[in-house]
Amino acid sequence: MAELNTLESLLEMGFDKNRAEKAVANTGNQGIEQAMDWLMEHENDPDIDEPYVPPAENVLGGTTDSQSSIEQPTIEGTENLSEEFLDPEDIEALKRPMTEEERREQVKRLEELMRVKQAERRERERAEEVEKEKQRRKQGQELQQIRQKLQDDDMKKLADQRRREKMEDKLARQRVKEKIARDREERAQKFGGGASSSTAASTQPTPPSPSSPTSQGPPPTKKEYDESRIQVRLLDGSTITAVFKAQEPLAAVRVYVQMNGNTPEGQDFTLLSPYPRHIYTEMDMEKPLKELGLVPSAVLVVTKK
């Protein structure tokens, strides 16, 4: 009975003839173990099932190879099997002609070897997938931390800006109070000193004169508002209302809408005043509400950019 060669062993194990011929050719016919490794590594190649065209001088399965395989006294490539998988007794047994029972036993061992290698490959791929998933989750957590840090930094900057504006507003009110006090003091000194001169000239007849403007008192001062009540109409028609300092910038209203409105995340929007209609630009966002004429109250509308 003719002995098994590498190609016949692969066919006996159930591999497709076309794939088996490619494995033997690509491994240089170095043995069954190398051919099995090649098949497992390239089983998912897109061209694995394309017809194999051997070189003209070395056609696998041709007349020359068939005759040489019959004349060989041992299995082709057996000397290259790793001693890790075959015992010395097995190697010695392969050097003599094999019976049908020995051939079935040899095929069984090779199939078991292939199953072991396939299991190791699946375990390795599973470990790689687990590691990739860990890396993906780690990158997602790092990205979330970066976003949270940027948001915290923005809120901190806004809070610092509001504190500065409150301090500036407080100092401005203090300066106004001091100026009012000085004006009152100057008026008191002016009109108090003129009383003695008027009594000295009371003996002389004086023509009737229209009432002095000073007798009417100082003109009424316009009321100053330090707060503004802003009502914002959102994209879905609902409204939110909040009170802001008159010196706060319009950007504070925009941030309030972003945090408390139902605007979708990432949706860019702007604010406009309906009556009279005015669309606020990025430069307007830095201006105080008082300067924009939004004090003591106003209605704004959110619109998409």
Side-chain angles (χ1 to χ4, degrees):
M1 182 179 294
E3 304 299 330
L4 288 174
N5 59 22
T6 302
L7 178 60
E8 293 172 344
S9 298
L10 294 173
L11 296 176
E12 189 74 20
M13 294 170 62
F15 286 105
D16 179 75
K17 182 179 180 181
N18 185 59
R19 294 190 178 191
E21 290 178 348
K22 285 187 176 182
V24 173
N26 284 281
T27 57
N29 199 12
Q30 295 181 1
I32 185 68
E33 182 181 354
Q34 287 79 359
M36 288 171 55
D37 289 340
W38 188 93
L39 284 170
M40 285 186 290
E41 291 176 0
H42 297 81
E43 63 180 353
N44 295 322
D45 289 357
D47 60 345
I48 186 65
D49 291 320
E50 292 183 2
Y52 173 68
V53 180
E57 67 276 4
N58 184 23
V59 179
L60 289 177
T63 305
T64 304
D65 289 342
S66 300
Q67 293 177 354
S68 62
S69 63
I70 296 175
E71 295 173 357
Q72 289 178 353
T74 59
I75 295 179
E76 182 182 351
T78 303
E79 65 276 7
N80 293 317
L81 288 175
S82 174
E83 295 182 358
E84 181 180 355
F85 302 101
L86 297 178
D87 297 330
E89 294 81 0
D90 296 331
I91 298 176
E92 183 65 27
L94 291 173
K95 294 180 180 180
R96 63 177 182 273
M98 298 177 66
T99 64
E100 185 67 21
E101 182 66 24
E102 289 175 336
R103 184 175 64 178
R104 287 196 297 268
E105 183 65 24
Q106 179 65 18
V107 171
K108 183 178 179 181
R109 291 188 182 185
L110 293 175
E111 290 176 346
E112 180 63 26
L113 174 62
M114 183 180 68
R115 284 193 293 270
V116 170
K117 288 181 174 292
Q118 289 176 339
E120 291 176 351
R121 180 183 176 183
R122 287 193 297 269
E123 181 63 24
R124 183 172 62 253
E125 291 176 349
R126 189 190 67 82
E128 291 175 355
E129 289 296 328
V130 171
E131 184 63 26
K132 288 180 181 178
E133 180 64 17
K134 289 181 180 179
Q135 291 296 329
R136 186 187 66 79
R137 292 184 179 181
K138 181 179 179 182
Q139 292 175 356
Q141 292 175 354
E142 292 176 351
L143 182 59
Q144 182 63 27
Q145 291 175 358
I146 292 174
R147 289 178 177 174
Q148 185 64 38
K149 185 177 184 301
L150 291 175
Q151 184 177 1
D152 293 343
D153 291 343
D154 290 341
M155 294 301 298
K156 183 178 179 181
K157 291 179 181 178
L158 181 60
D160 292 341
Q161 182 179 357
R162 294 186 66 174
R163 281 195 294 269
R164 288 195 302 269
E165 291 171 352
K166 288 181 180 180
M167 180 61 67
E168 293 174 357
D169 187 45
K170 182 179 180 180
L171 293 175
R173 289 198 301 269
Q174 183 65 30
R175 287 193 293 269
V176 170
K177 290 180 180 179
E178 293 176 354
K179 186 176 185 304
I180 292 173
R182 288 196 300 270
D183 291 343
R184 288 177 179 175
E185 184 177 355
E186 291 175 358
R187 284 199 299 270
Q189 292 177 355
K190 179 178 179 180
F191 295 111
S196 57
S197 60
S198 60
T199 54
S202 59
T203 56
Q204 299 178 0
T206 57
S209 62
S211 58
S212 173
T214 58
S215 62
Q216 298 179 358
T221 58
K222 185 178 180 180
K223 184 176 181 180
E224 293 288 337
Y225 294 94
D226 59 355
E227 291 183 343
S228 176
R229 182 181 180 85
I230 304 295
Q231 183 184 75
V232 182
R233 185 179 301 276
L234 304 176
L235 293 174
D236 61 354
S238 60
T239 60
I240 56 176
T241 304
V243 177
F244 300 87
K245 294 296 183 181
Q247 296 299 324
E248 286 190 78
L250 185 58
V253 180
R254 180 187 178 94
V255 172
Y256 181 82
V257 173
Q258 289 175 335
M259 297 178 61
N260 298 276
N262 53 7
T263 305
E265 184 177 356
Q267 174 68 56
D268 197 6
F269 65 90
T270 186
L271 299 174
L272 65 84
S273 178
Y275 302 107
R277 183 178 177 83
H278 176 73
I279 299 177
Y280 295 100
T281 64
E282 292 298 329
M283 295 181 62
D284 292 332
M285 294 297 165
E286 303 299 328
K287 297 180 181 179
L289 298 177
K290 185 175 182 180
E291 182 179 339
L292 295 173
L294 301 178
V295 177
S297 64
V299 176
L300 300 178
V301 178
V302 176
T303 59
K304 296 180 182 180
K305 275 193 174 180

